[in-house]
C-alpha cells in the first residue's frame, strides 16, 4: 500500500526502493506485506504533481525497459542482428538502473539502522533485497542465454524462458475487465417464490407475534362498523387485545429521530393527518424488505411497503399512538397493480417487475387471462380511539382497538412527456461510428481507450442546444414534468380512518412490534488477508442503521514496529510551532517494510 500526500517527493532515500522493482517482481514476505501493489499504485500516479513535472523513478525505468524487451521478443521475426543489438543496448540500460536501485537499497538500509528501528524491520528489508537480487540474477541469466543462442531453436527456448519469467514476476494488470454479472459491489439476487397462504408459514419464517397477541374476537356489533367490514364477511374481526410498551418504542427501522419527531409535531400528533400525509407523499418502490428505514424514507419521499410502514409506525409512535407491523398475503386486481408498480401496460411485465424486486407474487387467472395477483405485503395497525369519530378525534393514549392502515398502496396519474426523439432526432449510429474511428477498442477484455472526449462533449452540447431551442419555440411554458413525463400520486384525504384495507386479505400472517431481522437488508464488507494487508476485516450491518451515513475504510500500522517505520520517514515538527508545508511531507513510504491492518 502506498500512502501519498500533496507536494513534492520526499527524496530518493524515501522513495528509495520503497516501491523498487515490485512493479516488475511481484513479491510476498511471510506475514503478507508486499510491495507489488504499492509499486503498481506508484506507476498509476499522474505524470505531474501540480505544475511540477515528474521524472520517472529507477523502478519505473526498469519496468519500461522490461516492457520494451517483451515487445521486441513478441514482434514478428526480422533482422536477428538488429534485434540482438537492441537487446544488448537495453541490457546495458538495465544494468545501469540495477546499480541505481542497489544504491537506493543500501541508502534505505542505512536509514533504517540510523533510526534504530526494530530488528524485524531490518529483516524485512534484507529479505526484500535478497528477493530482488535473485530475480535480477535470473533476468540477467535469461538475457545472456538469448544473446548467446547460436541456433533459432536455442534462441526461441531462451526467449520462452524469459517470457515465462516475466509472466511469473510482473505486477498484476492495471485494467480489470468489467463483468456486469460479477461486480465487486452488488445487491444479492432476489429469490423468486410464491406468497405464503397459511399463518403457520409466516410464523415459521418470522416467528410468533412479538406482541403476544391474544386471539381475535369476532364482533357482530360494536356500534356502526361500516368502515371495518372485511370483504366477503358479514361481520368484522376486530382485535381488542391491549397494546404493549414495545408498540411505542423506537427501533432500528422506526427510530425516534429529531426529524421524525418534528414531522409528527407538524402533523399535530394526529393519526388521521399522519396517515394521510404518508399515503399522499411517499412514492412506492416495488422491492422487498426493510432497506431505508423511517428516517431516509422521510428524506427521500419514497420507499417500499416496509419503508413506508416504518415511517408510519415511527410518526405514530412519536405521537404517543401504539403502532405495529402486520405481515400477510393479499389480493389485488391486476389493473391496480399495473398502475401501482409503475404504469405498466403489460400485466405480466408488472408482475415480473414486482417479483424481480423480491416481492413474493403470483398471477391469478380467469378465462386464461390474468385478472388478479396474490402477493405478500406489510401494513400497519394502530391502536386508535375509533368510536364514534372513526379516529378523526383520537384522544392521545385512549385507543380502543387496532385499526389497519396501509400508506404504501396508492394509484398514480401518469402524464406522457414530449416525444423528443421524433421532434429532435439524434443520429446515434453516426455518433458511435465517429467514436469508434478515434478510439482503440479491446472487445476481448471489454474496454476502450483513446475515446475522443471533446467529440463527446461537443455532440452532447449541440444536441442539448437543439432540444432547448425546440422547447423554447414549441412549448415555452413547459415544466420539467411536461417535458420528461410525470407520475403523481392520486391523493386521498379522508375525514376519518376507513378502518379497512384497500384489498382482500388472503391470510393475516402476524403482527410485530419489531420487524424480524431476516426482513432487514444488510451490507457485508470484507477485506481478506491479501497483498493489501495482513489482517482480515469483516463488517456487517443493516441498511436501515446505515441509511444516510458514510462508511470509511482506513488502514493503521499493524504493529508498533510498523508505526516506527512510518514515524522515521515523517519530518520533525518545526521548533517555532509553524505547521509543516506540503512540500515538507513525504509523498510515498517504503511499503514493503510496512504492514497495515484495516
Amino acid at each position: 500500500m502506498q500512502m501519498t500526500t500533496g507536494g513534492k517527493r520526499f527524496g530518493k532515500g524515501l522513495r528509495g526502493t520503497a516501491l523498487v522493482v515490485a512493479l516488475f517482481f511481484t513479491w510476498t514476505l511471510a506475514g503478507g506485506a508486499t510491495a507489488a501493489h504499492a509499486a503498481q499504485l506508484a506507476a498509476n500516479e499522474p505524470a505531474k504533481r501540480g505544475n511540477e513535472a515528474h521524472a520517472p523513478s529507477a523502478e519505473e525505468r526498469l519496468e519500461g525497459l522490461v516492457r520494451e524487451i517483451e515487445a521486441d521478443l513478441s514482434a514478428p521475426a526480422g533482422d536477428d542482428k538488429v534485434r540482438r543489438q537492441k537487446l544488448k543496448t537495453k541490457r546495458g540500460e538495465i544494468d545501469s538502473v540495477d546499480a541505481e536501485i542497489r544504491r537506493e537499497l543500501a541508502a534505505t538500509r542505512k536509514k533504517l539502522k540510523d533510526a534504530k528501528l526494530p530488528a524485524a524491520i531490518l529483516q524485512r528489508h534484507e529479505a526484500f533485497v535478497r528477493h530482488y537480487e535473485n530475480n535480477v540474477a535470473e533476468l540477467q541469466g535469461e538475457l545472456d542465454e538469448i544473446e548467446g543462442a547460436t541456433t533459432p531453436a536455442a534462441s526461441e527456448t531462451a526467449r520462452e524462458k524469459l517470457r515465462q519469467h516475466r509472466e511469473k514476476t510482473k505486477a498484476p494488470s492495471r485494467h480489470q475487465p468489467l463483468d456486469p454479472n460479477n461486480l465487486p459491489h452488488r445487491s444479492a439476487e432476489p429469490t423468486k417464490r410464491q406468497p405464503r397462504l397459511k399463518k403457520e408459514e409466516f410464523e415459521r419464517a418470522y416467528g410468533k407475534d412479538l406482541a403476544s397477541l391474544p386471539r381475535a374476537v369476532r364482533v357482530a356489533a360494536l356500534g356502526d362498523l361500516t368502515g371495518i367490514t372485511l370483504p366477503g364477511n358479514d361481520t368484522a374481526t376486530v382485535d381488542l387485545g391491549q397494546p404493549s410498551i414495545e408498540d411505542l418504542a423506537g427501533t432500528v427501522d422506526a427510530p425516534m429521530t429529531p426529524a421524525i419527531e418534528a414531522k409528527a409535531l407538524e402533523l399535530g400528533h394526529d393519526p388521521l393527518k399522519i396517515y394521510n400525509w404518508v399515503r399522499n407523499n411517499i412514492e412506492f418502490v416495488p422491492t422487498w424488505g426493510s432497506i431505508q428505514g423511517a428516517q431516509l424514507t422521510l428524506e427521500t419521499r419514497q420507499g417500499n411497503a416496509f419503508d413506508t410502514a416504518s415511517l408510519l409506525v415511527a410518526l405514530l409512535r412519536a405521537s404517543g399512538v401504539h403502532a405495529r407491523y402486520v405481515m400477510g398475503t393479499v389480493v389485488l386486481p391486476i389493473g391496480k397493480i399495473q398502475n401501482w408498480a409503475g404504469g405498466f401496460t403489460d400485466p405480466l411485465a408488472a408482475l415480473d417487475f414486482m417479483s424481480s424486486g423480491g416481492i413474493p407474487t403470483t398471477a391469478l387467472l380467469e378465462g386464461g387471462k390474468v385478472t388478479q395477483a396474490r402477493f405478500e405485503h406489510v401494513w400497519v395497525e394502530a391502536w386508535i380511539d375509533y368510536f364514534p369519530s372513526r379516529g378523526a378525534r383520537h384522544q392521545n393514549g385512549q385507543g380502543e382497538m387496532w385499526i389497519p392502515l396501509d400508506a404504501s398502496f396508492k394509484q398514480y396519474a401518469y402524464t406522457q412527456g414530449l416525444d423528443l426523439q421524433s421532434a429532435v432526432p439524434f443520429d446515434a449510429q453516426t455518433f458511435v461510428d465517429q467514436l469508434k474511428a478515434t478510439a482503440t477498442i479491446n472487445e476481448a477484455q471489454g474496454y476502450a481507450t483513446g475515446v475522443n472526449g471533446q467529440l463527446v462533449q461537443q455532440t452532447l452540447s449541440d444536441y442539448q442546444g437543439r432540444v432547448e431551442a425546440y422547447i423554447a419555440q414549441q412549448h415555452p411554458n413547459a415544466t420539467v414534468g411536461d417535458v420528461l413525463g410525470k407520475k403523481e400520486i392520486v391523493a386521498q384525504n379522508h375525514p376519518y380512518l376507513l378502518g379497512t384495507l384497500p384489498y382482500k386479505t388472503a391470510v393475516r400472517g402476524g403482527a410485530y412490534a419489531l420487524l424480524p431481522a431476516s426482513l432487514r437488508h444488510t451490507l457485508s464488507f470484507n477485506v481478506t488477508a491479501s497483498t493489501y494487508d495482513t489482517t482480515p476485516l469483516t463488517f456487517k450491518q443493516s441498511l436501515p442503521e446505515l441509511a444516510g451515513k458514510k462508511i470509511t475504510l482506513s488502514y493503521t500500522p499493524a504493529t508498533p514496529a510498523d508505526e516506527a517505520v512510518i514515524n522515521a520517514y515523517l519530518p520533525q515538527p518545526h521548533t517555532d510551532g509553524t505547521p509543516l508545508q506540503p512540500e515538507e511531507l513525504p509523498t510515498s513510504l517504503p511499503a514493503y517494510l510496512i504492514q497495515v491492518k484495516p
Side-chain angles (χ1 to χ4, degrees):
M1 177 180 183
Q2 181 187 16
M3 290 148 277
T4 61
T5 63
K8 302 177 182 177
R9 287 182 178 270
F10 194 58
K12 275 190 178 179
L14 171 63
R15 292 166 58 206
T17 59
L19 310 173
V20 109
V21 260
L23 268 168
F24 147 62
F25 296 137
T26 301
W27 166 75
T28 304
L29 274 177
T34 74
H37 181 66
Q40 186 180 354
L41 289 178
N44 287 335
E45 288 180 352
K48 292 185 178 181
R49 293 178 174 272
N51 295 322
E52 178 190 5
H54 162 55
S57 64
E59 61 269 18
E60 290 168 338
R61 299 201 306 276
L62 180 58
E63 167 69 6
L65 288 168
V66 175
R67 285 180 178 173
E68 290 174 12
I69 291 175
E70 188 178 31
D72 290 342
L73 294 176
S74 301
D79 188 332
D80 191 58
K81 184 177 180 181
V82 173
R83 178 177 287 185
R84 285 173 179 273
Q85 183 59 44
K86 290 174 65 176
L87 183 62
K88 184 176 182 179
T89 300
K90 290 186 173 63
R91 169 68 184 274
E93 294 176 9
I94 286 177
D95 291 343
S96 175
V97 173
D98 172 51
E100 183 178 341
I101 289 174
R102 290 174 188 267
R103 288 194 296 271
E104 291 183 353
L105 286 169
T108 299
R109 186 177 189 280
K110 182 177 185 304
K111 182 176 181 62
L112 298 178
K113 293 191 68 175
D114 291 346
K116 295 181 172 53
L117 293 176
I121 302 301
L122 285 172
Q123 290 170 4
R124 290 180 196 173
H125 174 75
E126 298 302 335
F128 181 80
V129 171
R130 287 194 300 273
H131 181 83
Y132 167 71
E133 291 174 344
N134 290 338
N135 277 285
V136 167
E138 185 176 347
L139 171 66
Q140 291 172 332
E142 288 157 356
L143 294 177
D144 287 340
E145 283 191 42
I146 294 174
E147 288 186 59
T150 57
T151 66
S155 178
E156 180 57 33
T157 299
R159 290 170 184 170
E160 180 59 27
K161 288 177 64 176
L162 180 60
R163 280 192 288 266
Q164 292 176 359
H165 177 77
R166 168 67 170 160
E167 188 64 30
K168 179 182 68 174
T169 60
K170 70 180 181 181
S173 171
R174 301 177 192 177
H175 174 75
Q176 298 298 325
L178 174 65
D179 181 359
N181 298 315
N182 189 30
L183 296 175
H185 46 83
R186 60 190 181 275
S187 299
E189 289 294 327
T191 302
K192 295 185 179 182
R193 62 177 177 83
Q194 296 293 307
R196 299 177 176 89
L197 293 176
K198 295 181 180 179
K199 180 178 177 65
E200 294 75 21
E201 293 176 325
F202 281 94
E203 291 179 344
R204 283 195 296 270
Y206 307 126
K208 296 281 186 178
D209 293 2
L210 301 183
S212 302
L213 303 176
R215 296 184 63 181
V217 179
R218 185 168 292 277
V219 189
L222 265 179
D224 181 5
L225 294 182
T226 304
I228 58 172
T229 301
L230 299 180
N233 292 331
D234 295 327
T235 57
T237 300
V238 182
D239 188 348
L240 299 179
Q242 293 293 319
S244 66
I245 190 64
E246 288 82 4
D247 298 317
L248 281 176
T251 67
V252 170
D253 309 282
M256 299 293 104
T257 65
I260 293 289
E261 292 176 343
K263 176 55 72 173
L265 177 62
E266 176 188 324
L267 296 170
H269 295 144
D270 183 332
L272 175 60
K273 291 182 179 179
I274 289 173
Y275 167 74
N276 284 336
W277 186 88
V278 176
R279 189 233 174 260
N280 294 332
N281 288 277
I282 305 301
E283 183 176 335
F284 174 68
V285 178
T287 55
W288 184 252
S290 181
I291 299 175
Q292 296 183 153
Q295 176 60 40
L296 193 59
T297 303
L298 177 64
E299 294 175 12
T300 62
R301 301 293 177 91
Q302 64 178 10
N304 63 22
F306 287 87
D307 300 326
T308 305
S310 290
L311 177 57
L312 182 55
V313 165
L315 291 171
L316 289 170
R317 291 181 180 180
S319 302
V321 179
H322 295 79
R324 66 193 185 190
Y325 302 88
V326 184
M327 295 285 297
T329 296
V330 303
V331 178
L332 260 176
I334 190 62
K336 290 189 175 182
I337 289 182
Q338 289 174 240
N339 177 286
W340 186 38
F344 285 86
T345 57
D346 183 346
L348 293 180
L351 297 182
D352 184 67
F353 187 58
M354 291 183 64
S355 181
S356 66
I359 302 175
T361 308
T362 188
L364 300 179
L365 305 178
E366 287 185 16
K369 294 183 178 181
V370 179
T371 58
Q372 299 182 98
R374 183 189 297 130
F375 58 95
E376 286 188 24
H377 194 48
V378 62
W379 60 92
V380 174
E381 285 182 345
W383 186 249
I384 298 295
D385 179 10
Y386 198 70
F387 295 106
S389 69
R390 300 188 186 180
R393 290 191 295 275
H394 174 83
Q395 294 186 30
N396 193 17
Q398 301 299 314
E400 58 189 359
M401 66 174 62
W402 290 104
I403 297 300
L405 304 170
D406 188 351
S408 67
F409 175 71
K410 60 207 68 177
Q411 296 290 275
Y412 295 90
Y414 294 92
T415 303
Q416 293 294 325
L418 301 178
D419 186 3
L420 294 177
Q421 185 174 0
S422 298
V424 190
F426 178 75
D427 190 349
Q429 188 58 53
T430 298
F431 177 54
V432 170
D433 291 342
Q434 290 174 331
L435 289 179
K436 291 170 68 174
T438 59
T440 300
I441 301 174
N442 188 323
E443 294 186 2
Q445 297 191 30
Y447 70 92
T449 58
V451 176
N452 190 334
Q454 185 175 359
L455 173 63
V456 173
Q457 186 62 45
Q458 184 62 47
T459 302
L460 294 179
S461 296
D462 290 346
Y463 185 69
Q464 179 181 350
R466 291 168 53 204
V467 170
E468 290 176 349
Y470 167 76
I471 294 173
Q473 294 171 7
Q474 303 297 326
H475 305 275
N477 298 318
T479 65
V480 173
D482 295 332
V483 175
L484 302 179
K486 54 187 176 181
K487 171 184 176 183
E488 296 179 301
I489 297 172
V490 178
Q492 292 181 353
N493 287 288
H494 294 291
Y496 53 83
L497 297 174
L498 296 180
T500 189
L501 296 170
Y503 36 70
K504 294 180 181 179
T505 305
V507 57
R508 183 182 186 279
Y512 305 93
L514 176 69
L515 279 176
S518 61
L519 288 168
R520 204 170 290 128
H521 286 243
T522 58
L523 171 72
S524 296
F525 190 93
N526 299 298
V527 179
T528 59
S530 65
T531 60
Y532 296 89
D533 51 72
T534 60
T535 308
L537 171 71
T538 298
F539 174 85
K540 184 176 183 179
Q541 200 160 359
S542 72
L543 290 190
E545 292 176 280
L546 298 173
K549 299 177 182 176
K550 294 181 179 179
I551 299 176
T552 300
L553 172 66
S554 61
Y555 283 78
T556 59
T559 66
D562 297 294
E563 187 173 4
V565 177
I566 296 174
N567 290 335
Y569 279 88
L570 295 177
Q572 295 299 312
H574 293 161
T575 56
D576 60 1
T578 57
L580 294 169
Q581 298 302 307
E583 59 270 18
E584 299 178 273
L585 300 174
T587 58
S588 63
L589 296 175
Y592 72 95
L593 293 177
I594 302 170
Q595 295 181 1
V596 293
K597 60 184 178 182

